[in-house]
């Protein structure tokens, strides 16, 4: 007897468009979520239960076009899927797991980040909605706004750094260096408000520590030679 599975009739991610084909008009829309992903890859390098998508379509029903945030985070899903990775985030291929955070970077072309997208993400049940305006600020808006879904409506969270206990991270804005650019970026924070470092900052710190160790070794060798001690005999 044939067992009918309705999921078998739904299109796969390979059959669905992987974006809305809308080009970004500010490279910060790519760099900002890429930095957040790079930091996550460092602090969560031993975890395989998360995925951070960038400019990727989210399909919640085959009857509607994808919603495409600048960035989004899902927990409780596989980090890597197949050899080529995901082309889209498809609810029925992710056991119905909704992303826990969506990010929109406001560009030169306003795209409804404060109105329609807020409605769309609330309907999807995305717990946190982050809006960041890196280059311009609309009247009566903060440069960084973090909303939490409360009773199906988004409530603005107050503060420069917002702790998100369901994720185990905070998010905020601060000066930093990424890909050689020193400017204000979005960063993840720990519960004590300490900012997680960028990959470049980690490499610079490690290089500095290495140089200090080499200098200390050279100074030790110089003192031994002054005392007439052959370091090769130690």
């Amino acid at each position: 007897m044939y067992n009918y599975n309705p999921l078998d009739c739904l299109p796969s991610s390979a059959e669905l468009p992987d974006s809305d084909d809308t080009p970004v008009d500010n490279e910060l829309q790519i760099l900002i979520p890429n930095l957040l992903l790079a930091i996550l890859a460092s602090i969560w390098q031993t975890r395989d239960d998360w995925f951070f998508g960038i400019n990727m379509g989210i399909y919640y029903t085959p009857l509607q076009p994808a919603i495409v945030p600048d960035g989004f985070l899902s927990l409780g899903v596989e980090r890597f899927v197949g050899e080529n990775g995901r082309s889209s985030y498809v609810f029925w291929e992710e056991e119905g797991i909704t992303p826990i955070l969506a990010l929109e970077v406001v560009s030169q072309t306003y795209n409804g980040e404060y109105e329609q997208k807020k409605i769309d993400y609330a309907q999807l049940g995305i717990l946190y909605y982050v809006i960041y305006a890196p280059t311009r600020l609309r009247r009566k808006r903060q440069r960084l706004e973090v909303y939490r879904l409360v009773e199906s409506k988004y409530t603005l969270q107050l503060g420069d750094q917002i702790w998100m206990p369901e994720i185990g991270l905070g998010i905020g804005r601060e000066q930093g260096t990424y890909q050689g650019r020193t400017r204000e970026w979005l960063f993840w924070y720990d519960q004590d408000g300490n900012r997680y470092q960028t990959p470049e900052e980690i490499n610079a710190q490690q290089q500095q520590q290495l140089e200090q160790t080499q200098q200390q070794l050279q100074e030790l060798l110089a003192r031994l030679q002054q005392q007439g001690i052959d370091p090769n005999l130690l």
Side-chain angles (χ1 to χ4, degrees):
M1 182 177 179
Y2 175 71
N3 292 321
Y4 171 71
N5 185 351
L7 293 178
D8 293 337
C9 299
L10 294 175
S12 69
S13 57
E15 299 170 300
L16 293 166
D18 55 10
S19 76
D20 59 1
D21 295 324
T22 301
V24 298
D25 62 358
N26 187 324
E27 64 178 327
L28 290 176
Q29 286 180 280
I30 297 297
L31 291 175
I32 288 168
N34 263 298
L35 172 56
L36 292 174
L37 171 57
I39 297 173
L40 279 181
S42 175
I43 61 179
W44 285 356
Q45 58 183 303
T46 61
R47 292 179 55 174
D48 294 318
D49 62 342
W50 63 276
F51 176 74
F52 192 91
I54 298 173
N55 197 31
M56 176 181 288
I58 298 176
Y59 285 93
Y60 59 98
T61 171
L63 304 178
Q64 297 291 333
I67 292 177
V68 187
D70 290 322
F72 67 90
L73 173 65
S74 280
L75 300 180
V77 300
E78 293 183 53
R79 182 179 176 188
F80 303 110
V81 175
E83 183 177 347
N84 298 322
R86 294 172 173 86
S87 56
S88 300
Y89 188 90
V90 181
F91 271 37
W92 52 92
E93 293 182 347
E94 306 287 352
E95 300 183 359
I97 296 176
T98 302
I100 197 169
L101 179 147
L103 166 68
E104 290 290 349
V105 179
V106 181
S107 64
Q108 298 299 322
T109 303
Y110 177 62
N111 198 26
E113 289 87 356
Y114 297 97
E115 291 86 21
Q116 185 58 50
K117 289 188 177 181
K118 189 185 294 184
I119 296 173
D120 293 340
Y121 295 142
Q123 290 177 342
L124 261 64
I126 294 176
L127 185 60
Y128 289 99
Y129 177 36
V130 179
I131 307 174
Y132 179 50
T135 59
R136 68 189 184 103
L137 189 62
R138 297 187 73 204
R139 190 175 64 175
K140 298 182 180 179
R141 293 294 183 184
Q142 302 175 28
R143 190 167 298 281
L144 173 64
E145 295 188 357
V146 180
Y147 294 87
R148 189 181 188 280
L149 196 62
V150 179
E151 296 181 353
S152 301
K153 292 184 179 181
Y154 279 123
T155 300
L156 180 64
Q157 307 297 289
L158 301 178
D160 295 328
Q161 297 175 18
I162 304 301
W163 175 249
M164 301 173 290
E166 299 85 355
I167 300 176
L169 291 171
I171 194 167
R173 59 188 182 92
E174 188 175 326
Q175 286 287 119
T177 302
Y178 176 56
Q179 293 193 7
R181 297 186 181 194
T182 300
R183 56 156 291 130
E184 182 183 274
W185 300 96
L186 290 187
F187 291 99
W188 303 112
Y189 294 80
D190 65 19
Q191 193 167 7
D192 296 324
N194 300 309
R195 175 171 74 80
Y196 286 104
Q197 292 181 307
T198 70
E200 287 172 300
E201 290 169 338
I202 293 174
N203 290 337
Q205 184 181 58
Q206 292 174 341
Q207 180 64 31
Q208 184 181 22
Q209 291 173 345
L210 176 60
E211 292 174 355
Q212 290 176 346
T213 300
Q214 291 175 337
Q215 182 177 357
Q216 291 171 354
L217 179 59
Q218 290 174 354
E219 292 173 351
L220 175 60
L221 293 175
R223 288 197 299 270
L224 292 175
Q225 291 174 351
Q226 288 175 355
Q227 297 173 10
I229 300 175
D230 185 354
N232 295 320
L233 300 178
L234 297 178

